[in-house]
Amino acid sequence: MKTLLKFSPVIVAVLMAILPTPEGLTPQAWYFLSIFVGVVVGLIIEPVPAALVGLTGVALVAVLGLIDPSPTVNRNWALSGFSNGVIWLIFSAFMFALGYQKTGLGKRISLLLIRLLGKSTLGLGYAIAFSDAILAPFMPSNTARSAGTIYPIASNIPPMFNSTPDNEPRKMGAYLHWVGISATCVTSSMFLTALAPNLLAVDMIQKSVGISIGWGDWAKIMIPAMLPLFILTPWLGYLLFPPTLKHSPEAPAWAAEELRKMGSVSTKELMMLGYAILALIFWIFGKQLHVNSTVAAIFVLTLMVLTNIITWEDVITNKGAWNVLTWFATLVAMAAGLKKTGVLDWVGNMISTNLTGMAPGSVVVLLVILFFVLHYFFASTTAHTTALLPLFMATAAPLLPPEMLPKVALMLAGSLGLMGIITPYATGPSPIWYGAGFISQARWWALGGIFGLFYLLSMIGVTVFYV
């Protein structure tokens, strides 16, 4: 059974490829789509590392010459993702996350918030949420942010009150762990650079329908839209999944002791804070300053290395960053191939035929709902984005007025973070918070359903208001 599962991407691709080519597609396009579906299956079950799945798909398409009869064109297509600016922006942001970790700035911010807000369990929930929000614009890996930075600090608090997975988990630990994952889902939608698939999504939108979404374009809509949801999330958890212990006077004292051990703010922490602010200024005002966001990120990265916030050895040995770069670069190329081979136009026209006659507003809301709910079938936001976003944009293009397309594009991409709440496997940090053992699987699915519905209704409300 394990062997069959391991080879299932190949089996799916081969079985699909031997079927008759559908009307409206060339054989080359059908073979490309078969390989693409095999890649998506591979990303879902991961028989080998995800980056290798994508690289294998790109290499196979290029070897078979499915993009173009010219070997040079196939080569250029295969390598096109590695020249993509968004991919290098993601890579640079991984280095920012490393800077937060190495300097201790991320830990200090979290401890300061616990010292300030931690006298009650609800206050601790808000401390965890605000820690995530402060780090979110500069850490596109919500796994690094939530599971790597916030979780190690938050996990030290419940044992102080004798709340463990085996002893009174509802006393405090279960609530704090739920806030940890639910807050990061909201912040992941709040900022373009808070979730790597957000950046992948805007690049796919640019390639599929020619719509550009910048950091500021995202922020002016999604920050006001997500801020009320962010403020409500710890309170909603407190209401629906209340801790039995309401007060936590020891937490501020523990945080103060940890801060004392850290000592005074170091020069490198101040430098890292300055670099983060500099990057944020470039990202927000890049158009006015005539500086591309990727160029700004690489520039700040070089300053971090030159001033020894991180070392060049850190850069070249960061397996996670290089893995993501390879992974996303191949997915960008595969998504572009859907457009080049005509698959997107074929699928979009086929689906839009069944939606013809519906009011544009109804089409947009239906697409947002379907895009969100279908995440139940994905264990990776990246796989979800790769498989469905180009398809949904191709469906929307012939059905909506041109002025509505940028809005629906932002609504679809903006929901990627929120949908991470629905299952224990829906986004990177989920297995870490779930694996701590404070929340049972049945309880997690129930809470995920409730919060998922709440988040989806919020996204529908934003869509109706914005579109």
Side-chain angles (χ1 to χ4, degrees), residues 117-270:
L117 301 172
K119 291 183 179 180
S120 69
T121 307
L122 180 60
L124 285 171
Y126 276 101
I128 290 171
F130 279 114
S131 298
D132 196 292
I134 291 171
L135 299 175
F138 313 101
M139 299 181 76
S141 168
N142 63 352
T143 304
R145 179 173 78 249
S146 182
T149 303
I150 307 298
Y151 174 78
I153 298 169
S155 63
N156 283 300
I157 301 173
M160 294 168 50
F161 300 90
N162 202 26
S163 177
T164 67
D166 301 319
N167 181 70
E168 297 188 280
R170 289 292 299 274
K171 189 175 184 180
M172 176 184 284
Y175 166 72
L176 294 184
H177 281 67
W178 184 254
V179 171
I181 185 60
S182 57
T184 204
C185 290
V186 179
T187 60
S188 293
S189 282
M190 191 179 293
F191 306 100
L192 174 60
T193 45
L195 184 69
N198 291 347
L199 295 156
L200 179 65
V202 298
D203 188 72
M204 288 183 169
I205 290 166
Q206 168 71 37
K207 283 184 166 52
S208 61
V209 291
I211 294 169
S212 178
I213 301 174
W215 202 97
D217 301 321
W218 184 291
K220 70 182 180 182
I221 301 300
M222 296 308 296
I223 291 179
M226 292 297 106
L227 193 56
L229 196 59
F230 174 77
I231 298 298
L232 283 173
T233 288
W235 175 82
L236 190 64
Y238 194 81
L239 181 69
L240 298 177
F241 193 47
T244 58
L245 181 67
K246 308 299 182 183
H247 301 285
S248 52
E250 293 93 338
W254 169 79
E257 176 61 19
E258 291 296 309
L259 285 167
R260 187 193 66 77
K261 292 178 182 177
M262 288 186 72
S264 58
V265 179
S266 67
T267 301
K268 286 190 175 182
E269 285 179 81
L270 292 174

Side-chain angles (χ1 to χ4, degrees), residues 95 154 248 363 367 381:
M95 299 303 153
S248 52
V363 171
L367 290 176
T381 312

Side-chain angles (χ1 to χ4, degrees), residues 16-17 19-34 65-69 337-347:
M16 188 171 168
L19 292 173
T21 302
E23 185 179 351
L25 280 183
T26 64
Q28 289 78 9
W30 181 241
Y31 296 147
F32 178 90
L33 182 58
S34 302
L66 300 180
I67 298 297
D68 192 272
L338 290 172
K339 179 72 173 177
K340 288 180 178 294
T341 57
V343 171
L344 277 186
D345 292 335
W346 174 73
V347 174

Side-chain angles (χ1 to χ4, degrees), residues 73-99:
V73 172
N74 283 286
R75 179 205 63 190
N76 292 344
W77 166 81
L79 298 176
S80 62
F82 292 93
S83 64
N84 184 280
V86 171
I87 305 303
W88 288 98
L89 176 59
I90 296 171
F91 178 84
S92 300
F94 264 86
M95 299 303 153
F96 292 176
L98 183 61

